[in-house]
Amino acid sequence: IAVLVRSNERGQEVATALVAAGVPATFNGSNSVLTTAAAADWLTLLRALDQPRRPYLRRAFLTDFVGATVADIALADDDRLGSWSLLVHTWARVLARHGVPALFAAFDADTDFRARLLTRPDGERLVTDHRHLAELLHHQATRGGSPRARDLAAWLVGERDGSSLGADS
């Protein structure tokens, strides 16, 4: 079923209300994938891959990629925090050696990323957004010649800032 509305804001309101009522719904407006929660997660992860220090790592644990909650982090013992940190460090090596497609595959292999997201009401949209962003980042890495997390994060910030001015990706 499609619901047609006059504005993106109203479309998002309708989709949110449907999900709240237990009806799976996605919103397909003219908003850019660069302005989604998935893009914010990618940026957070790329920053942690580039600078694997405690504050960046903790933020990365809260992304869809690791899937921890604030409560999980608060209650985590040193072993759990260490395993999450190791995961992010491993992903940094995967990105540096094999690029964005291998990194995206590692999320699924290491954390059941897609299966976990698909259990959420907006799961299909999230998986699609993350996949689209992976494609955009891969394209940028191959075009720019560098899969470095720092370069990809800088590119993503620039594109997000541009998308607020009407750019669409």
Side-chain angles (χ1 to χ4, degrees), residues 41-160:
D41 275 2
W42 272 99
L43 183 56
T44 299
L45 180 69
L46 289 168
R47 287 178 172 154
L49 297 178
D50 179 50
Q51 299 180 43
R53 295 189 307 263
R54 185 177 183 165
Y56 294 104
L57 290 170
R58 297 262 171 134
R59 285 184 210 118
F61 301 161
L62 296 171
T63 65
D64 286 340
F65 307 113
V66 176
T69 65
V70 172
D72 293 335
I73 292 173
L75 298 172
D77 60 15
D78 288 342
D79 288 340
R80 187 69 184 138
L81 292 170
S83 68
W84 287 333
S85 294
L86 179 61
L87 192 61
V88 173
H89 286 281
T90 301
W91 290 343
R93 286 190 301 276
V94 169
L95 176 63
R97 292 180 184 156
H98 306 289
V100 176
L103 176 62
F104 193 69
F107 300 150
D108 214 30
D110 296 339
T111 68
D112 293 325
F113 175 71
R114 291 177 209 184
R116 191 168 27 85
L117 289 186
L118 288 173
T119 65
R120 294 168 44 181
D122 58 347
E124 288 183 34
R125 176 83 263 151
L126 283 170
V127 170
T128 300
D129 287 348
H130 280 294
R131 183 180 300 122
H132 186 186
L133 286 155
E135 291 168 1
L136 292 171
L137 290 164
H138 172 64
H139 177 73
Q140 177 59 27
T142 56
R143 195 176 87 202
S146 170
R148 287 182 23 180
R150 175 177 295 156
D151 296 337
L152 294 174
W155 175 82
L156 185 54
V157 167
E159 291 298 304
R160 281 178 44 156

Side-chain angles (χ1 to χ4, degrees), residues 5-18:
V5 294
R6 292 188 184 271
S7 71
N8 283 337
E9 182 179 339
R10 182 66 180 139
Q12 189 60 57
E13 289 171 2
V14 170
T16 301
L18 287 169

